Amino acid sequence: MATHEKQSLAIVTLTAIGVVYGDIGTSPLYTLRECLAGEWGVGINQTSVYGFLSLIFWLLTSVVSIKYLLFVLRADDAGEGGILTLMSLAGRNIDARYMPLVIVMGLIGGSFFYGDGVITPAISVMSAIEGMEIIAPNLTRYVVPLSVIILTLLFVIQKHGTGSIGKLFAPVMMLWFITLAVLGIRGIMEYPQVLHALNPYWAINFFVQYKLVSFFALGAAVLSVTGAEALYADMGHFNRSSIRIAWFSIVLPSLVLNYFGQGALLLQHPEAIKNPFFLLAPEWALIPLLVLAAFATVIASQAVISGVFSLTRHAVRLGYLPPMRIIYTSDKESGQIYIPAINWMLYLAVLIVIASFKSSSNLAAAYGIVVTGTMALTSVLFCLVTVHNWQWNRWAVALLLALLLVIDLPLFGANLIKIMAGGWLPICIGIGFLVVMTTWRTERFNVLRKLSEHGNSLSAMITSLEKNPPVRVPGTAVYLSRVVNVIPTALLHNMKHNKVLHERVVLLTIRTEEVPYVPNVRRVEIEQLSPSFWRVVASYGWREKPNMEGIFHRCSVEGLNCPMMQTSFFMSHEALILGKRPWHHKIRGMLFLALARNALRSPDLFELPPNRVIELGTQMDI
């Protein structure tokens, strides 16, 4: 039994290397080059090379090893992670006065991830393809077209799911990290003195020597830890042990060896700064390394794209984005999903970014702001969870938060200088998604509030209909109600216009709880309101897909038998009209109308038989 568990842990750990560490694992392609490329005017000398290597090592140690691996990974919700999960956890036991602030922080962090989702595929793939310039400088003009072709293929295959391709992720990324380590050792053996940079003295000395310039140079060093948030976001697919073992046994040593190998190369051959990663390899290995790097960056891009899909589904289920078509590409793994609308929006944004920036060095200027912003928000939300959910000592948590922000805030501040050089791009993308999420949530709440303001009491109406029933017709009618204890609009309109009632009426509310999964024993709550009226509340977690057949199967188990083909589903469809508003509210209203028109309709959302659905429309001013 113990041997089987060890084998399982080994397999999960190997898989985690392929999925979780793709983004951070491809950072050596461009990080040290951007640190020392001359933008900061520090040049290539012992102080600058040792200083940046020391910064990179201690950033990997403090941000990834300590903050995320030892602390943040503890904050899970039924095994799930990510900034929106952290938002949900932080809001459960907090004072209601501070809840809006928690939501805003979570939504900002989630919105920033969309910006990261556009930049990461572009910079990763381009940095790998740029290796062609070492093999043949006249191939430079093909970098952009080849990057576009590779990313086009990546986005096209998304609809087929990543299950079969995902099997290749682990061995390819394992080979990638082994290659990083071997190349690094090769460079270190040529100049072993470079290992002195492990001493934090060199990081401190770097700040002393270069003063203000060193602060802004942090904006380049932070490229080494981009992808750290993926450790937390991908926790639902793996477990803490596998993620930690993979990092400390394989990923961290490989990254450190490669960075130090590049540093050793630069101290001996400063001209290698044009691409120290590829020049670290012997000439005969350049083409295989280029191919391996291309595969590794595609895997890194896939991990980010999958993360964007998961974040979108989470936001949809929590009501921060409109319902949209979500395709489950695996019968076994609920995390493997495909969202066509997001996929092609992301693809279009990536193409625009590649065409605009044209090189990974230019894209590096756009990288880092949203990542460091999300890191700082994660620190705050995590500390809220430790105080309000785990009852940690407040003074100890205050000290922990101070230590975390001492790292996060300077990293964020150092990246602010990049705004005009390209950092505005991911910020604008993040702000755009934040506006969409807050607009949908707020306007939809107002619509639901207006729909429930008809002034009629549900219990009074049921009593009246039982006492003086209208014409009854055979069968079961299911009325979908967004809010419990409120008369469904479709029922009001059916009584008003058709003046008939089915023999049995079920008022169904589908509720999304702020947990990933809801146990089947709590899936449905059934309450008989009168001889012919029933209330059913079906609860789902944000990671689950509501299933109408599953709901009524569970109902039949608990005594309420409703055969699907003998049941009519009544739904209301609101035709929304924008009323008079101030100009800024009008723009918000127009955005909401556009989102509502393109939102997935309830019959499609719940996959109801088309011949069993009756939609009753109503017009509403908003």
Side-chain angles (χ1 to χ4, degrees), residues 297-313:
T297 53
V298 166
I299 292 170
S301 302
Q302 176 61 62
V304 173
I305 294 168
S306 298
V308 170
F309 288 163
S310 297
L311 176 70
T312 301
R313 176 180 60 179

Side-chain angles (χ1 to χ4, degrees), residues 315-328:
V316 168
R317 299 291 293 129
L318 291 178
Y320 290 104
L321 285 176
M324 57 186 74
R325 190 178 176 215
I326 300 177
I327 299 171
Y328 289 75

Side-chain angles (χ1 to χ4, degrees), residues 420-574:
M420 298 310 297
W424 57 267
L425 176 65
I427 290 178
C428 288
I429 293 171
I431 290 174
F433 273 97
L434 179 63
V435 169
V436 167
M437 287 195 282
T438 54
T439 296
W440 178 261
R441 178 78 169 190
T442 304
E443 295 288 338
R444 192 62 186 155
F445 175 80
N446 291 335
V447 168
L448 295 177
R449 182 173 51 79
K450 286 188 176 182
L451 286 172
S452 61
E453 283 179 348
H454 45 66
N456 297 312
S457 165
L458 177 62
S459 58
M461 182 178 183
I462 291 174
T463 302
S464 175
L465 290 173
E466 294 289 1
K467 187 177 294 185
N468 301 298
V471 176
R472 307 299 288 253
V473 294
T476 300
V478 175
Y479 292 89
L480 265 72
S481 175
R482 296 183 182 90
V483 184
V484 178
N485 292 324
V486 172
I487 303 171
T489 306
L491 176 58
L492 284 174
H493 285 280
N494 189 41
M495 293 300 303
K496 180 179 179 180
H497 297 291
N498 297 325
K499 297 180 173 57
V500 296
L501 199 64
H502 283 70
E503 289 177 336
R504 182 166 54 178
V505 177
V506 175
L507 308 179
L508 173 62
T509 299
I510 297 178
R511 181 170 58 196
T512 300
E513 297 189 10
E514 291 194 5
V515 295
Y517 302 98
V518 172
N520 272 333
V521 293
R522 293 202 300 110
R523 180 71 67 208
V524 297
E525 298 174 14
I526 302 173
E527 180 183 357
Q528 187 169 6
L529 303 176
S530 74
S532 58
F533 275 81
W534 299 72
R535 177 192 291 132
V536 174
V537 178
S539 299
Y540 283 86
W542 54 260
R543 199 163 180 199
E544 298 177 290
K545 181 182 179 183
N547 182 279
M548 201 62 72
E549 288 192 13
I551 292 172
F552 284 102
H553 171 73
R554 191 71 198 178
C555 287
S556 65
V557 170
E558 299 192 19
L560 180 60
N561 188 27
C562 300
M564 290 287 286
M565 298 314 294
Q566 298 176 23
T567 301
S568 298
F569 293 86
F570 287 81
M571 299 181 178
S572 61
H573 177 73
E574 297 87 25

Side-chain angles (χ1 to χ4, degrees), residues 30 146 156 165 185 214 228 231 326 364 374 397 399 404 472 480 517 520 524:
Y30 48 81
L146 277 176
V156 166
I165 303 170
I185 291 171
S214 64
L231 306 175
I326 300 177
T374 303
V397 172
L399 177 61
L404 293 176
R472 307 299 288 253
L480 265 72
Y517 302 98
N520 272 333
V524 297

Side-chain angles (χ1 to χ4, degrees), residues 231-294:
L231 306 175
Y232 185 42
D234 288 329
M235 188 165 59
H237 299 282
F238 307 98
N239 55 56
R240 294 188 194 92
S241 298
S242 62
I243 292 175
R244 287 169 176 162
I245 291 171
W247 172 256
F248 288 109
S249 64
I250 303 294
V251 180
L252 178 61
S254 299
L255 291 175
V256 172
L257 286 170
N258 194 266
Y259 282 125
F260 276 68
Q262 290 185 47
L265 173 68
L266 290 172
L267 286 170
Q268 297 174 92
H269 305 284
E271 68 278 5
I273 190 60
K274 60 182 178 181
N275 204 320
F277 175 81
F278 283 100
L279 290 173
L280 194 59
E283 191 172 342
W284 60 265
L286 283 176
I287 293 178
L289 182 60
L290 177 63
V291 174
L292 179 60

Side-chain angles (χ1 to χ4, degrees), residues 99-322:
M99 189 62 194
L101 181 60
V102 169
I103 291 174
V104 167
M105 286 192 291
L107 293 183
I108 290 175
S111 300
F112 278 177
F113 191 76
Y114 285 101
D116 187 26
V118 172
I119 302 294
T120 296
I123 192 173
S124 298
V125 173
M126 288 187 78
S127 61
I129 302 303
E130 283 168 353
M132 294 192 309
E133 299 171 353
I134 304 300
I135 301 170
N138 61 336
L139 295 178
T140 301
R141 63 181 182 274
Y142 296 110
V143 169
V144 170
L146 277 176
S147 299
V148 169
I149 291 171
I150 290 173
L151 287 167
T152 299
L153 291 173
L154 177 62
F155 281 97
V156 166
I157 65 172
Q158 293 301 313
K159 63 182 178 182
H160 300 294
T162 58
S164 56
I165 303 170
K167 295 175 183 178
L168 298 173
F169 284 7
V172 170
M173 290 307 296
M174 189 67 183
L175 178 59
W176 171 253
F177 284 113
I178 291 172
T179 303
L180 290 182
V182 170
L183 291 177
I185 291 171
R186 182 174 183 268
I188 293 169
M189 288 177 66
E190 296 289 330
Y191 193 84
Q193 300 94 315
V194 75
L195 293 175
H196 291 159
L198 291 170
N199 189 333
Y201 160 79
W202 289 103
I204 298 169
N205 181 63
F206 180 75
F207 286 106
V208 172
Q209 291 289 326
Y210 293 103
K211 299 178 175 64
L212 183 62
V213 171
S214 64
F215 172 74
F216 292 114
L218 276 174
V222 78
L223 294 172
S224 63
V225 293
T226 55
E229 192 69 22
L231 306 175
Y232 185 42
D234 288 329
M235 188 165 59
H237 299 282
F238 307 98
N239 55 56
R240 294 188 194 92
S241 298
S242 62
I243 292 175
R244 287 169 176 162
I245 291 171
W247 172 256
F248 288 109
S249 64
I250 303 294
V251 180
L252 178 61
S254 299
L255 291 175
V256 172
L257 286 170
N258 194 266
Y259 282 125
F260 276 68
Q262 290 185 47
L265 173 68
L266 290 172
L267 286 170
Q268 297 174 92
H269 305 284
E271 68 278 5
I273 190 60
K274 60 182 178 181
N275 204 320
F277 175 81
F278 283 100
L279 290 173
L280 194 59
E283 191 172 342
W284 60 265
L286 283 176
I287 293 178
L289 182 60
L290 177 63
V291 174
L292 179 60
F295 274 108
T297 53
V298 166
I299 292 170
S301 302
Q302 176 61 62
V304 173
I305 294 168
S306 298
V308 170
F309 288 163
S310 297
L311 176 70
T312 301
R313 176 180 60 179
H314 194 170
V316 168
R317 299 291 293 129
L318 291 178
Y320 290 104
L321 285 176

Side-chain angles (χ1 to χ4, degrees), residues 545 600-608:
K545 181 182 179 183
L600 194 66
R601 295 164 57 250
S602 294
D604 300 319
L605 180 64
F606 303 123
E607 297 180 357
L608 294 172

